[in-house]
Amino acid sequence: MLDYEYYLEDFLKNIYETSMSSNDGGMSSPDMFTLFIALKKIKPALVIESGVWNGWSTKLIRKSVAPDCKIICLDPREIPKEGFRDTNLNTIYYTGKDFIDFKNLDLNSPLHYIPKDLKTLAFFDDHIDVMQRLEECKEKNFQHLFFNDNYPVGCGSHRTLTHIFSDKKEKEKVEEMIKTQLIFPNVFKGTVKGIKTEGYLEQTSTNKEQYWIFYNDRKAYRWNTYVELCKRF
């Protein structure tokens, strides 16, 4: 079991900034928090961020990993002036006119290369068909994946893991690839796009006051999901 209370305190004290709750079109605090948990547990030496938007998730990643961790940021949209662009030399940008899609990223390049004995994490907030990304991660030998916007059946802009697991044939194919899947719950329960979400904090007056950030952002939850693929080698 994850010690959510410990991670909540660490996140609010050392990571959270108000920009993470005013990130229109991007992740808000409930999903930023669960990505933070994954980063702290995995301790990756390389993070591929497919879908950067305003850059606040990049800032979260940089604050959550070691200074020498490589972050490769991919987005066809350029980061706006009011967004965040990391100055750490270990953060590499392929955005705007320099965009490279995840499937075309050469991880054997000296600039990107990480020894196979070190952990890597592929983070997707790009609204691309999840089956495509799973196949690409398998080909590139990524084991740890993290998906934002894992929408339930009936909503969302793209096919998600939850959509696939609702189809018997597709579910069988994906289950052969996946060792572990964890859909993080909301911090506080609520209703998102007409769908009720579970939360791991009770809605007591004390919790609402202490963790008001997450209570205010509870409707911005998007079913963040961690996936561990079966090893190829």
Side-chain angles (χ1 to χ4, degrees):
M1 291 289 292
L2 291 171
D3 186 351
Y4 285 111
E5 187 173 347
Y6 166 79
Y7 285 109
L8 280 167
E9 298 301 328
D10 190 4
F11 178 81
L12 291 174
K13 181 180 178 182
N14 300 309
I15 304 295
Y16 180 77
E17 298 179 16
T18 54
S19 57
M20 296 175 183
S21 288
S22 57
N23 187 25
D24 290 344
M27 289 196 300
S28 193
S29 62
D31 292 326
M32 290 279 195
F33 172 59
T34 53
L35 175 57
F36 165 71
I37 293 177
L39 291 163
K40 299 302 280 188
K41 294 291 287 185
I42 296 166
K43 296 180 173 60
L46 168 69
V47 178
I48 309 290
E49 182 184 15
S50 180
V52 178
W53 196 239
N54 294 324
W56 301 120
S57 50
T58 309
K59 190 169 192 178
L60 165 77
I61 295 167
R62 176 51 68 201
K63 292 178 75 172
S64 304
V65 297
D68 61 349
C69 174
K70 288 187 179 181
I71 304 173
I72 302 177
C73 301
L74 314 174
D75 201 308
R77 173 182 179 266
E78 193 53 85
I79 300 165
K81 291 180 181 179
E82 64 274 15
F84 172 79
R85 191 176 183 93
D86 194 15
T87 57
N88 186 310
L89 295 178
N90 290 305
T91 301
I92 304 164
Y93 284 90
Y94 297 110
T95 57
K97 61 182 177 59
D98 298 318
F99 172 63
I100 299 175
D101 189 78
F102 178 77
K103 67 174 180 271
N104 299 320
L105 188 66
D106 180 9
L107 294 175
N108 292 316
S109 161
L111 188 62
H112 308 150
Y113 179 75
I114 290 291
K116 287 188 171 69
D117 61 328
L118 297 180
K119 290 182 179 179
T120 57
L121 174 69
F123 164 51
F124 298 101
D125 188 8
D126 55 14
H127 298 244
I128 300 296
D129 188 314
V130 73
M131 183 60 81
Q132 176 184 326
R133 292 313 194 199
L134 288 172
E135 294 286 359
E136 291 165 357
C137 286
K138 182 180 177 182
E139 179 64 28
K140 292 179 185 294
N141 205 29
F142 270 81
Q143 189 177 5
H144 301 285
L145 322 179
F146 200 87
F147 293 95
N148 182 237
D149 298 314
N150 182 20
Y151 286 101
V153 174
C155 63
S157 61
H158 61 291
R159 187 167 61 154
T160 71
L161 269 174
T162 302
H163 295 167
I164 287 174
F165 270 83
S166 69
D167 182 286
K168 185 177 180 181
K169 281 189 176 180
E170 290 193 318
K171 179 181 177 182
E172 290 175 356
K173 181 180 179 181
V174 169
E175 282 181 330
E176 294 177 355
M177 301 169 62
I178 292 178
K179 179 180 178 181
T180 305
Q181 178 190 194
L182 170 63
I183 302 175
F184 285 92
N186 206 342
V187 179
F188 285 99
K189 67 180 180 180
T191 301
V192 180
K193 296 187 179 295
I195 299 168
K196 290 184 178 180
T197 67
E198 295 300 318
Y200 41 79
L201 282 183
E202 292 184 22
Q203 292 191 14
T204 63
S205 57
T206 300
N207 281 342
K208 287 180 183 179
E209 181 178 355
Q210 185 173 358
Y211 303 111
W212 62 270
I213 293 160
F214 300 107
Y215 186 75
N216 286 357
D217 291 348
R218 67 193 184 280
K219 293 183 180 180
Y221 166 77
R222 294 295 182 266
W223 296 273
N224 264 6
T225 301
Y226 165 73
V227 170
E228 181 183 4
L229 293 184
C230 299
K231 287 185 178 181
R232 287 178 59 199
F233 307 112

